[in-house]
mmCIF file of all heavy atoms in Angstrom:
data_model
loop_
_atom_site.group_PDB
_atom_site.id
_atom_site.type_symbol
_atom_site.label_atom_id
_atom_site.label_comp_id
_atom_site.label_asym_id
_atom_site.label_seq_id
_atom_site.Cartn_x
_atom_site.Cartn_y
_atom_site.Cartn_z
ATOM 1 N N PHE A 1 63.239 148.422 176.359
ATOM 2 C CA PHE A 1 63.322 147.291 177.295
ATOM 3 C C PHE A 1 64.421 146.288 176.938
ATOM 4 O O PHE A 1 65.110 145.768 177.815
ATOM 5 C CB PHE A 1 61.972 146.580 177.367
ATOM 6 C CG PHE A 1 62.002 145.225 177.966
ATOM 7 C CD1 PHE A 1 62.373 145.046 179.302
ATOM 8 C CD2 PHE A 1 61.711 144.099 177.223
ATOM 9 C CE1 PHE A 1 62.410 143.798 179.885
ATOM 10 C CE2 PHE A 1 61.759 142.838 177.788
ATOM 11 C CZ PHE A 1 62.099 142.686 179.122
ATOM 12 N N LEU A 2 64.585 145.972 175.644
ATOM 13 C CA LEU A 2 65.461 144.877 175.249
ATOM 14 C C LEU A 2 66.944 145.081 175.578
ATOM 15 O O LEU A 2 67.657 144.091 175.794
ATOM 16 C CB LEU A 2 65.297 144.596 173.745
ATOM 17 C CG LEU A 2 64.003 143.856 173.380
ATOM 18 C CD1 LEU A 2 63.869 143.730 171.876
ATOM 19 C CD2 LEU A 2 63.948 142.490 174.045
ATOM 20 N N PRO A 3 67.473 146.320 175.630
ATOM 21 C CA PRO A 3 68.879 146.431 176.078
ATOM 22 C C PRO A 3 69.099 145.903 177.507
ATOM 23 O O PRO A 3 70.210 145.480 177.832
ATOM 24 C CB PRO A 3 69.148 147.941 176.005
ATOM 25 C CG PRO A 3 68.264 148.406 174.920
ATOM 26 C CD PRO A 3 67.028 147.588 175.034
ATOM 27 N N MET A 4 68.077 145.908 178.332
ATOM 28 C CA MET A 4 68.213 145.296 179.657
ATOM 29 C C MET A 4 68.355 143.790 179.563
ATOM 30 O O MET A 4 68.915 143.147 180.456
ATOM 31 C CB MET A 4 66.981 145.631 180.531
ATOM 32 C CG MET A 4 66.825 147.108 180.825
ATOM 33 S SD MET A 4 65.315 147.493 181.676
ATOM 34 C CE MET A 4 65.628 146.698 183.235
ATOM 35 N N CYS A 5 67.857 143.192 178.467
ATOM 36 C CA CYS A 5 67.996 141.748 178.193
ATOM 37 C C CYS A 5 69.219 141.447 177.335
ATOM 38 O O CYS A 5 69.360 140.317 176.849
ATOM 39 C CB CYS A 5 66.758 141.210 177.515
ATOM 40 S SG CYS A 5 65.231 141.483 178.440
ATOM 41 N N LEU A 6 70.088 142.453 177.102
ATOM 42 C CA LEU A 6 71.325 142.322 176.317
ATOM 43 C C LEU A 6 71.025 142.030 174.838
ATOM 44 O O LEU A 6 71.738 141.285 174.180
ATOM 45 C CB LEU A 6 72.218 141.224 176.902
ATOM 46 C CG LEU A 6 72.607 141.383 178.370
ATOM 47 C CD1 LEU A 6 73.456 140.229 178.842
ATOM 48 C CD2 LEU A 6 73.357 142.685 178.585
ATOM 49 N N VAL A 7 69.949 142.656 174.333
ATOM 50 C CA VAL A 7 69.619 142.593 172.881
ATOM 51 C C VAL A 7 69.604 144.040 172.394
ATOM 52 O O VAL A 7 68.798 144.843 172.843
ATOM 53 C CB VAL A 7 68.260 141.913 172.646
ATOM 54 C CG1 VAL A 7 67.900 141.976 171.180
ATOM 55 C CG2 VAL A 7 68.305 140.465 173.109
ATOM 56 N N TYR A 8 70.502 144.335 171.443
ATOM 57 C CA TYR A 8 70.691 145.717 171.021
ATOM 58 C C TYR A 8 70.353 145.945 169.545
ATOM 59 O O TYR A 8 70.463 147.065 169.035
ATOM 60 C CB TYR A 8 72.152 146.152 171.264
ATOM 61 C CG TYR A 8 72.575 146.017 172.704
ATOM 62 C CD1 TYR A 8 73.325 144.928 173.094
ATOM 63 C CD2 TYR A 8 72.233 146.988 173.659
ATOM 64 C CE1 TYR A 8 73.722 144.782 174.425
ATOM 65 C CE2 TYR A 8 72.630 146.868 174.977
ATOM 66 C CZ TYR A 8 73.384 145.765 175.352
ATOM 67 O OH TYR A 8 73.775 145.629 176.647
ATOM 68 N N ASP A 9 69.952 144.909 168.828
ATOM 69 C CA ASP A 9 69.739 145.036 167.367
ATOM 70 C C ASP A 9 68.268 144.778 167.027
ATOM 71 O O ASP A 9 67.952 144.126 166.009
ATOM 72 C CB ASP A 9 70.641 144.094 166.597
ATOM 73 C CG ASP A 9 70.484 142.645 167.060
ATOM 74 O OD1 ASP A 9 69.820 142.422 168.096
ATOM 75 O OD2 ASP A 9 71.032 141.747 166.404
ATOM 76 N N PHE A 10 67.364 145.242 167.842
ATOM 77 C CA PHE A 10 65.934 145.071 167.588
ATOM 78 C C PHE A 10 65.471 146.150 166.603
ATOM 79 O O PHE A 10 65.752 147.334 166.783
ATOM 80 C CB PHE A 10 65.139 145.166 168.886
ATOM 81 C CG PHE A 10 63.677 144.846 168.728
ATOM 82 C CD1 PHE A 10 63.250 143.532 168.599
ATOM 83 C CD2 PHE A 10 62.723 145.859 168.724
ATOM 84 C CE1 PHE A 10 61.907 143.226 168.466
ATOM 85 C CE2 PHE A 10 61.384 145.563 168.594
ATOM 86 C CZ PHE A 10 60.968 144.243 168.454
ATOM 87 N N SER A 11 64.766 145.710 165.558
ATOM 88 C CA SER A 11 64.330 146.643 164.519
ATOM 89 C C SER A 11 62.826 146.505 164.311
ATOM 90 O O SER A 11 62.169 145.586 164.837
ATOM 91 C CB SER A 11 65.080 146.380 163.212
ATOM 92 O OG SER A 11 64.781 145.087 162.734
ATOM 93 N N LEU A 12 62.276 147.439 163.507
ATOM 94 C CA LEU A 12 60.854 147.416 163.210
ATOM 95 C C LEU A 12 60.450 146.222 162.362
ATOM 96 O O LEU A 12 59.314 145.732 162.436
ATOM 97 C CB LEU A 12 60.461 148.726 162.538
ATOM 98 C CG LEU A 12 58.969 149.025 162.358
ATOM 99 C CD1 LEU A 12 58.271 149.116 163.709
ATOM 100 C CD2 LEU A 12 58.792 150.318 161.586
ATOM 101 N N ASN A 13 61.394 145.724 161.597
ATOM 102 C CA ASN A 13 61.115 144.536 160.785
ATOM 103 C C ASN A 13 60.856 143.302 161.623
ATOM 104 O O ASN A 13 60.205 142.359 161.185
ATOM 105 C CB ASN A 13 62.300 144.318 159.812
ATOM 106 C CG ASN A 13 61.938 143.366 158.693
ATOM 107 O OD1 ASN A 13 60.752 143.203 158.392
ATOM 108 N ND2 ASN A 13 62.927 142.754 158.083
ATOM 109 N N ASP A 14 61.409 143.277 162.885
ATOM 110 C CA ASP A 14 61.177 142.138 163.769
ATOM 111 C C ASP A 14 59.734 142.103 164.289
ATOM 112 O O ASP A 14 59.318 141.083 164.843
ATOM 113 C CB ASP A 14 62.129 142.187 164.982
ATOM 114 C CG ASP A 14 63.559 142.056 164.546
ATOM 115 O OD1 ASP A 14 63.803 141.338 163.544
ATOM 116 O OD2 ASP A 14 64.448 142.639 165.198
ATOM 117 N N LEU A 15 59.000 143.175 164.122
ATOM 118 C CA LEU A 15 57.578 143.199 164.492
ATOM 119 C C LEU A 15 56.690 142.946 163.285
ATOM 120 O O LEU A 15 55.671 142.248 163.374
ATOM 121 C CB LEU A 15 57.213 144.546 165.128
ATOM 122 C CG LEU A 15 57.620 144.771 166.573
ATOM 123 C CD1 LEU A 15 57.297 146.178 166.993
ATOM 124 C CD2 LEU A 15 56.893 143.803 167.488
ATOM 125 N N LEU A 16 57.049 143.539 162.135
ATOM 126 C CA LEU A 16 56.188 143.458 160.958
ATOM 127 C C LEU A 16 56.412 142.148 160.174
ATOM 128 O O LEU A 16 55.439 141.547 159.695
ATOM 129 C CB LEU A 16 56.445 144.664 160.053
ATOM 130 C CG LEU A 16 56.130 146.030 160.682
ATOM 131 C CD1 LEU A 16 56.527 147.136 159.740
ATOM 132 C CD2 LEU A 16 54.637 146.133 160.994
ATOM 133 N N ALA A 17 57.665 141.728 160.070
ATOM 134 C CA ALA A 17 57.971 140.487 159.348
ATOM 135 C C ALA A 17 59.045 139.732 160.120
ATOM 136 O O ALA A 17 60.221 139.726 159.732
ATOM 137 C CB ALA A 17 58.424 140.781 157.907
ATOM 138 N N PRO A 18 58.708 139.153 161.251
ATOM 139 C CA PRO A 18 59.731 138.510 162.083
ATOM 140 C C PRO A 18 60.286 137.244 161.454
ATOM 141 O O PRO A 18 59.594 136.535 160.736
ATOM 142 C CB PRO A 18 58.955 138.187 163.363
ATOM 143 C CG PRO A 18 57.540 138.075 162.969
ATOM 144 C CD PRO A 18 57.354 139.045 161.841
ATOM 145 N N LYS A 19 61.554 136.998 161.759
ATOM 146 C CA LYS A 19 62.248 135.796 161.306
ATOM 147 C C LYS A 19 62.384 134.821 162.481
ATOM 148 O O LYS A 19 62.384 135.224 163.649
ATOM 149 C CB LYS A 19 63.620 136.149 160.748
ATOM 150 C CG LYS A 19 63.530 136.990 159.470
ATOM 151 C CD LYS A 19 64.921 137.320 158.970
ATOM 152 C CE LYS A 19 64.838 138.190 157.699
ATOM 153 N NZ LYS A 19 66.189 138.523 157.195
ATOM 154 N N LYS A 20 62.562 133.530 162.136
ATOM 155 C CA LYS A 20 62.524 132.500 163.167
ATOM 156 C C LYS A 20 63.661 132.648 164.175
ATOM 157 O O LYS A 20 63.451 132.728 165.374
ATOM 158 C CB LYS A 20 62.559 131.132 162.488
ATOM 159 C CG LYS A 20 62.615 129.972 163.486
ATOM 160 C CD LYS A 20 62.767 128.651 162.769
ATOM 161 C CE LYS A 20 62.992 127.529 163.780
ATOM 162 N NZ LYS A 20 63.193 126.219 163.130
ATOM 163 N N GLN A 21 64.892 132.686 163.650
ATOM 164 C CA GLN A 21 66.057 132.657 164.546
ATOM 165 C C GLN A 21 66.121 133.940 165.386
ATOM 166 O O GLN A 21 66.405 133.884 166.588
ATOM 167 C CB GLN A 21 67.341 132.488 163.732
ATOM 168 C CG GLN A 21 68.555 132.119 164.566
ATOM 169 C CD GLN A 21 68.376 130.759 165.261
ATOM 170 O OE1 GLN A 21 67.785 129.856 164.711
ATOM 171 N NE2 GLN A 21 68.883 130.665 166.476
ATOM 172 N N LYS A 22 65.857 135.081 164.758
ATOM 173 C CA LYS A 22 65.909 136.335 165.505
ATOM 174 C C LYS A 22 64.787 136.385 166.576
ATOM 175 O O LYS A 22 65.025 136.820 167.707
ATOM 176 C CB LYS A 22 65.756 137.498 164.531
ATOM 177 C CG LYS A 22 65.863 138.875 165.158
ATOM 178 C CD LYS A 22 67.247 139.104 165.716
ATOM 179 C CE LYS A 22 67.401 140.528 166.280
ATOM 180 N NZ LYS A 22 67.257 141.550 165.231
ATOM 181 N N THR A 23 63.595 135.892 166.221
ATOM 182 C CA THR A 23 62.499 135.885 167.177
ATOM 183 C C THR A 23 62.799 134.955 168.367
ATOM 184 O O THR A 23 62.543 135.288 169.527
ATOM 185 C CB THR A 23 61.208 135.457 166.493
ATOM 186 O OG1 THR A 23 60.983 136.308 165.373
ATOM 187 C CG2 THR A 23 60.034 135.545 167.428
ATOM 188 N N LEU A 24 63.340 133.760 168.080
ATOM 189 C CA LEU A 24 63.714 132.833 169.152
ATOM 190 C C LEU A 24 64.800 133.441 170.041
ATOM 191 O O LEU A 24 64.782 133.257 171.273
ATOM 192 C CB LEU A 24 64.178 131.499 168.563
ATOM 193 C CG LEU A 24 63.133 130.638 167.865
ATOM 194 C CD1 LEU A 24 63.760 129.402 167.273
ATOM 195 C CD2 LEU A 24 62.014 130.259 168.829
ATOM 196 N N THR A 25 65.745 134.164 169.451
ATOM 197 C CA THR A 25 66.804 134.807 170.246
ATOM 198 C C THR A 25 66.220 135.876 171.179
ATOM 199 O O THR A 25 66.548 135.939 172.358
ATOM 200 C CB THR A 25 67.842 135.435 169.317
ATOM 201 O OG1 THR A 25 68.363 134.435 168.444
ATOM 202 C CG2 THR A 25 68.981 136.043 170.126
ATOM 203 N N VAL A 26 65.318 136.710 170.641
ATOM 204 C CA VAL A 26 64.715 137.779 171.470
ATOM 205 C C VAL A 26 63.859 137.183 172.563
ATOM 206 O O VAL A 26 63.909 137.597 173.744
ATOM 207 C CB VAL A 26 63.891 138.729 170.570
ATOM 208 C CG1 VAL A 26 63.129 139.716 171.427
ATOM 209 C CG2 VAL A 26 64.796 139.462 169.612
ATOM 210 N N LEU A 27 63.068 136.149 172.235
ATOM 211 C CA LEU A 27 62.210 135.536 173.250
ATOM 212 C C LEU A 27 63.057 134.800 174.311
ATOM 213 O O LEU A 27 62.707 134.778 175.490
ATOM 214 C CB LEU A 27 61.249 134.554 172.585
ATOM 215 C CG LEU A 27 60.165 135.191 171.711
ATOM 216 C CD1 LEU A 27 59.353 134.113 171.023
ATOM 217 C CD2 LEU A 27 59.248 136.093 172.540
ATOM 218 N N SER A 28 64.202 134.219 173.878
ATOM 219 C CA SER A 28 65.107 133.581 174.857
ATOM 220 C C SER A 28 65.707 134.628 175.780
ATOM 221 O O SER A 28 65.873 134.385 176.998
ATOM 222 C CB SER A 28 66.195 132.803 174.111
ATOM 223 O OG SER A 28 65.656 131.768 173.328
#
């Protein structure tokens, strides 16, 4: 789904141990 939102660097670590800036970017 995320390439449709122009996010191409989503990894499994963003689910298991998410970081603030990356999570805010994905949610934005």
Side-chain angles (χ1 to χ4, degrees):
F1 165 64
L2 285 175
M4 296 174 67
C5 303
L6 304 178
V7 175
Y8 302 99
D9 55 350
F10 187 76
S11 63
L12 190 61
N13 196 22
D14 296 328
L15 282 174
L16 298 175
K19 295 180 181 180
K20 176 185 173 182
Q21 194 62 35
K22 183 65 177 296
T23 305
L24 292 177
T25 304
V26 173
L27 291 176
S28 299

